Amino acid sequence: MGSKAGIGISVGSDSIRILKGQRDPNGLLQILDAIVLPSPLREDTNAEVLHQEAKKILKSRKFSGSGLIGITGRELILRYVQVPQVSEQRLKAMLAYEISELSDKIGGDLATGFKILDSSSLRGFRDEQLALVALTKNPFLESLFRKIQRLRLHPTGATPNSIALFRCFIRQGSFDSNETLLLVDIGKNNTDICLCQQSKLLFARNLSHGAALLTQAIQEQLGLPEAEAERLKIQESSLLPGSSENKANDAIRYGAGQLLSSIKSSLTFAKQQLKSPQLKVDRVCLSGGGGQQKGLPEYLSKGLGIPVIRFDPAVEIDLSLCSEAGKSLITSAPLEWAVPLGILEASTDETGFSLKLLPKIYEKRSQFLEGPFFLYLTVLFTISYLAVHILSTQRQYDILTRQKQKLLSQRNLLEELKESFKNSEENTRQYQGKLALFQDAILPGTHFFKVITKLNAKIPSNIWIKSVAIKEESQTQKKIIEIAEPMGVVAAI
């Protein structure tokens, strides 16, 4: 697997948490940076000022990229639809009809998505499947996308926070064999829940209240402003058994009781949807900022009759490449980063369980890119490209063929020249041999004429030459003649 980079964006009512990371060659997630900014969902008078400040912070940190947005709360609806086991095409048609009916009941323009859950381990689903359907209002999602884009970030889709929580735990948590776990992430105003078994998601739900229930209880019972009630909840209140009796502790017990009731009702609802009334939960794993409340795991454990532990998602993650500011944010409050980590997991690895929603304008683009018309265009472009490539290749082949023929002709010419040179060399040797014979033949005659000429110049006119004989001398005699000849004539008369 290559090192794919991406971002995970968790949008809360007060703040937005963004993680930037990448996959190493082994597929492990490496965190590069983390940042907390004011939420784009805030509607106070300082929203635009906060937005501009957020842009400056992101620019100074060189924080950019594309990835999923996590959504939850009142804007997200999760429904379950039982469908028969049919072909994928027919399944999509059936779910489209179910989603259309849900849209009519809820009202408004909706963005939707669905995912078939693995219910093979449940006895109630032998001939049926259970589909998880996510719905959110399309204007809300389009507005959220635009606000994130104004930060120069690029959302690729939205995913429920409960799905992201599951993705985080699958990667960073630990399962025992056949163990059924309930994951609970408590934010300020929202709580995300998912039920999983043998590393498979069985059920997901989101609640539109969270740790603010405890703060509100202190506010109402003690008559304090929100900021003071929040400080008292975090610094001085506890749900631990045996903690001192005071009004603040009594107040947060009331708020925690409301939270406990919501979790219990969610479990009951899950068993109904899964057709498993006897389903047993072995363990509860708690995360989110609200999960840090003193004594909350012990309080929930007593109320549910199930072990409850805190889930720290930062224990196993790789922070070696993370900025110091980002590392400090994560390690100082690790429970708050479970959902952002899950969103980042889904952004950088599309092979795992995922459920993505898109605003309709983006969905139409996606459908166009995946539809038959774009497929025809792609095929046509591919054929055109191949045709051009074939023609270009043919031209190159013709050029290479002509060059080959030219080189072969030159080679043949060189072979002919080589053969001609060999023949010329042989003729030259023959001519040299013949020339040597001619030289040997004419050499005595040359000396003869020289001797006659000199004798005629020296002897008296009344003496004449009667006969001349040419006799081959030994090499020694020739040397003597060659030496004596310049000094006089050597002849026999």
Side-chain angles (χ1 to χ4, degrees):
M1 183 184 292
S3 57
K4 181 180 178 180
I7 58 174
I9 308 167
S10 177
V11 181
S13 54
D14 285 345
S15 64
I16 175 174
R17 296 177 182 273
I18 312 173
L19 279 175
K20 184 178 181 180
Q22 67 181 16
R23 297 281 173 185
D24 69 9
N26 297 319
L28 299 178
L29 186 62
Q30 296 174 313
I31 305 302
L32 303 178
D33 207 350
I35 198 167
V36 179
L37 300 170
S39 174
L41 300 180
R42 293 176 63 163
E43 297 180 354
D44 54 34
T45 55
N46 295 323
E48 183 60 29
V49 175
L50 293 173
H51 171 78
Q52 295 301 328
E53 290 178 358
K55 281 180 67 174
K56 290 179 182 179
I57 294 171
L58 288 171
K59 186 176 181 180
S60 66
R61 296 272 289 272
K62 298 181 180 179
F63 212 110
S64 62
S66 60
L68 295 170
I69 305 173
I71 57 175
T72 186
R74 299 184 185 278
E75 303 296 341
L76 176 68
I77 300 172
L78 296 178
R79 293 290 179 90
Y80 293 86
V81 179
Q82 295 179 23
V83 292
Q85 296 187 8
V86 294
S87 65
E88 184 177 355
Q89 185 175 2
R90 191 176 172 191
L91 175 64
K92 287 182 178 179
M94 292 176 66
L95 285 173
Y97 175 76
E98 294 285 350
I99 291 171
S100 176
E101 284 200 332
L102 286 171
S103 299
D104 292 340
K105 290 178 182 178
I106 297 168
D109 184 16
L110 298 178
T112 62
F114 71 89
K115 189 74 174 180
I116 298 296
L117 299 175
D118 187 349
S119 54
S120 58
S121 60
L122 303 174
R123 295 180 181 179
F125 292 89
R126 294 305 180 190
D127 301 319
E128 293 180 316
Q129 302 177 96
L130 189 62
L132 172 61
V133 180
L135 308 96
T136 188
K137 291 184 178 180
N138 190 62
F140 160 76
L141 197 57
E142 286 185 356
S143 174
L144 181 59
F145 267 54
R146 286 194 296 268
K147 289 175 179 178
I148 297 299
Q149 288 168 340
R150 286 185 65 198
L151 294 173
R152 297 183 180 176
L153 303 175
H154 307 287
T156 57
T159 189
N161 278 4
S162 52
I163 304 298
L165 177 62
F166 170 72
R167 287 293 299 264
C168 177
F169 192 86
I170 287 297
R171 181 69 73 161
Q172 308 297 339
S174 60
F175 276 96
D176 293 335
S177 59
N178 300 322
E179 186 180 34
T180 301
L181 296 178
L182 180 67
L183 309 180
V184 181
D185 188 272
I186 305 172
K188 179 180 179 180
N189 295 308
N190 304 292
T191 299
D192 295 286
I193 295 174
C194 62
L195 193 63
C196 46
Q197 184 182 75
Q198 298 176 357
S199 301
K200 297 180 295 188
L201 180 67
L202 298 179
F203 175 85
R205 195 180 194 191
N206 60 298
L207 306 174
S208 55
H209 50 258
L213 288 174
L214 282 67
T215 307
Q216 290 167 7
I218 296 175
Q219 276 186 271
E220 293 171 1
Q221 294 189 25
L222 301 184
L224 297 173
E226 182 182 356
E228 179 60 22
E230 182 72 12
R231 186 199 66 78
L232 196 62
K233 179 189 73 173
I234 295 172
Q235 298 180 5
E236 300 182 25
S237 302
S238 174
L239 291 166
L240 287 170
S243 55
S244 61
E245 295 294 332
N246 58 54
K247 292 183 178 181
N249 286 347
D250 291 341
I252 65 166
R253 286 193 183 96
Y254 174 77
Q258 292 179 286
L259 198 58
L260 175 61
S261 296
S262 296
I263 295 172
K264 282 183 175 180
S265 64
S266 295
L267 269 177
T268 301
F269 179 65
K271 291 176 182 180
Q272 291 172 353
Q273 296 298 317
L274 300 175
K275 298 181 180 181
S276 301
Q278 304 303 320
L279 183 66
K280 179 186 176 183
V281 175
D282 299 294
R283 190 160 47 112
V284 176
C285 295
L286 204 60
S287 61
Q292 300 176 107
Q293 179 63 44
K294 295 176 184 177
L296 184 58
E298 293 79 3
Y299 180 87
L300 294 178
S301 179
K302 182 179 179 181
L304 296 170
I306 306 169
V308 178
I309 63 170
R310 288 189 175 97
F311 166 49
D312 183 351
V315 173
E316 299 294 334
I317 61 173
D318 184 356
L319 295 173
S320 60
L321 301 179
C322 188
S323 68
E324 289 301 320
K327 189 183 298 184
S328 176
L329 279 174
I330 295 172
T331 54
S332 61
L335 272 66
E336 297 179 2
W337 294 92
V339 168
L341 275 167
I343 300 170
L344 182 60
E345 285 282 349
S347 296
T348 56
D349 180 11
E350 298 178 356
T351 61
F353 186 94
S354 63
L355 196 163
K356 185 164 73 171
L357 297 92
L358 287 169
K360 286 190 175 179
I361 185 171
Y362 292 88
E363 189 175 12
K364 289 177 181 177
R365 292 175 189 172
S366 178
Q367 288 173 351
F368 171 74
L369 294 176
E370 296 174 0
F373 180 70
F374 185 77
L375 178 62
Y376 297 149
L377 287 179
T378 304
V379 171
L380 181 61
F381 174 78
T382 304
I383 292 172
S384 302
Y385 171 78
L386 289 174
V388 172
H389 181 69
I390 289 171
L391 290 174
S392 176
T393 304
Q394 183 64 44
R395 285 196 294 269
Q396 291 178 353
Y397 176 78
D398 293 340
I399 292 171
L400 291 174
T401 300
R402 287 195 294 270
Q403 290 178 345
K404 178 183 176 183
Q405 291 174 346
K406 184 177 180 180
L407 290 172
L408 287 173
S409 298
Q410 292 176 348
R411 177 186 172 188
N412 293 334
L413 179 61
L414 289 173
E415 290 289 342
E416 291 176 1
L417 290 173
K418 180 180 178 182
E419 188 63 28
S420 175
F421 177 76
K422 286 182 179 178
N423 294 335
S424 299
E425 189 177 25
E426 180 62 27
N427 291 336
T428 300
R429 283 197 295 269
Q430 292 178 3
Y431 291 148
Q432 286 177 343
K434 291 178 180 180
L435 180 61
L437 292 175
F438 284 126
Q439 286 177 343
D440 290 342
I442 65 173
L443 188 59
T446 301
H447 292 293
F448 168 75
F449 286 115
K450 285 183 179 180
V451 170
I452 293 298
T453 300
K454 290 183 179 181
L455 284 174
N456 285 333
K458 297 292 182 179
I459 61 176
S461 58
N462 59 343
I463 296 175
W464 64 91
I465 298 172
K466 185 178 179 179
S467 63
V468 177
I470 298 174
K471 182 181 180 183
E472 185 176 356
E473 300 293 340
S474 64
Q475 292 296 329
T476 305
Q477 291 174 325
K478 285 182 179 180
K479 292 294 182 182
I480 294 173
I481 291 173
E482 289 173 0
I483 295 170
E485 188 176 3
M487 297 183 294
V489 177
V490 178
I493 302 176

